[in-house]
Amino acid sequence: MKYIKTISFIFIVCVIISCIKNKNTGNAKKIIVEWVGETILFPQNLDCMMRDSMMQCPETDNSNYKILLYIDSLGCTSCRTKLPKWRKLIVESDTLFENKPDFLFFFQPKINGIKELKILLKSNGFDYPVFVDRENKIMQLNSFPKEPEYQCFLLDKNNKVVIVGNPIYNPAIWELYKKIIRENGNADER
């Protein structure tokens, strides 16, 4: 059984590496090997919002799989998030999976950027809760890669990284996410 898991792991890493369209494949391989199997730590006492209202944050341990997206305050937030595409993936996930994954969006807004974040969520009709991490606690706990394409993770029930890569940037990554969730989504323990 261990042999099959090891072969599966190597296969997944190879598929991920071949899916990532990056000029620096060595860097991609290094990031993937470093992050797969790592446990993500979640900060406590964050604010959450949905559209333009603050709300109670959802639990982060409700399902067998979680898709975590981290967005820092650098650059154009709306350009990097592509919320309409995420909304489509969430809707697709609702129809594909009996035990759908949780989608966890962590935003580290710019100073006084809550207003910008509210506008972004409202203008994109994004009716899904997002974590507002003003102090960038999740980054402090985990030291994510600097490259935005590697700041998205498929996590298992125990918050261990299964896949590194943003399915919005690369549809092949979404196919890999779906395959793993379908094959293992009903398992009780990981």
Side-chain angles (χ1 to χ4, degrees), residues 78-97:
S78 64
C79 304
R80 289 179 45 214
T81 56
K82 302 184 185 305
L83 291 177
K85 289 184 178 184
W86 277 107
R87 194 174 60 239
K88 286 180 183 177
L89 290 188
I90 292 169
V91 169
E92 182 180 351
S93 173
D94 287 345
T95 60
L96 286 177
F97 308 117

Side-chain angles (χ1 to χ4, degrees), residues 4-188:
I4 294 172
K5 286 184 178 182
T6 303
I7 296 295
S8 297
F9 172 76
I10 292 169
F11 174 75
I12 289 171
V13 169
C14 291
V15 169
I16 291 171
I17 291 169
S18 68
C19 290
I20 295 175
K21 295 176 183 173
N22 188 336
K23 292 179 185 173
N24 190 349
T25 318
N27 188 42
K29 181 178 178 181
K30 180 180 178 244
I31 290 170
I32 291 165
V33 168
E34 178 182 329
W35 279 92
V36 169
E38 287 295 314
T39 300
I40 298 296
L41 303 173
F42 290 99
Q44 301 297 312
N45 304 318
L46 293 181
D47 293 327
C48 284
M49 73 170 48
M50 187 162 19
R51 281 216 183 191
D52 59 353
S53 301
M54 298 310 279
M55 61 173 285
Q56 183 175 350
C57 290
E59 294 292 322
T60 58
D61 58 357
N62 289 333
S63 66
N64 289 334
Y65 286 99
K66 301 162 205 81
I67 297 173
L68 167 66
L69 176 66
Y70 166 75
I71 300 290
D72 62 22
S73 61
L74 301 175
C76 171
T77 302
S78 64
C79 304
R80 289 179 45 214
T81 56
K82 302 184 185 305
L83 291 177
K85 289 184 178 184
W86 277 107
R87 194 174 60 239
K88 286 180 183 177
L89 290 188
I90 292 169
V91 169
E92 182 180 351
S93 173
D94 287 345
T95 60
L96 286 177
F97 308 117
E98 182 178 329
N99 295 318
K100 71 179 190 111
D102 287 335
F103 287 80
L104 307 173
F105 298 91
F106 280 79
F107 284 85
Q108 188 246 332
K110 297 174 182 156
I111 297 173
N112 300 320
I114 298 298
K115 183 178 179 181
E116 179 186 342
L117 182 56
K118 286 180 180 181
I119 291 169
L120 176 68
L121 297 173
K122 191 172 183 177
S123 66
N124 284 286
F126 195 73
D127 290 325
Y128 204 81
V130 300
F131 293 83
V132 181
D133 189 359
R134 290 179 176 98
E135 297 172 18
N136 210 11
K137 292 177 184 178
I138 197 164
M139 177 58 101
Q140 292 168 14
L141 289 170
N142 298 286
S143 299
F144 294 138
K146 293 179 184 169
E147 300 87 347
E149 61 269 25
Y150 306 114
Q151 294 176 341
C152 186
F153 307 90
L154 177 64
L155 309 177
D156 69 9
K157 183 175 185 143
N158 299 313
N159 300 326
K160 289 194 181 290
V161 175
V162 179
I163 300 176
V164 179
N166 191 322
I168 298 303
Y169 296 160
N170 186 340
I173 296 289
W174 178 237
E175 293 303 317
L176 191 55
Y177 275 42
K178 290 189 301 188
K179 181 179 185 326
I180 289 172
I181 294 167
R182 263 192 216 109
E183 289 176 0
N184 304 305
N186 294 323
D188 292 328

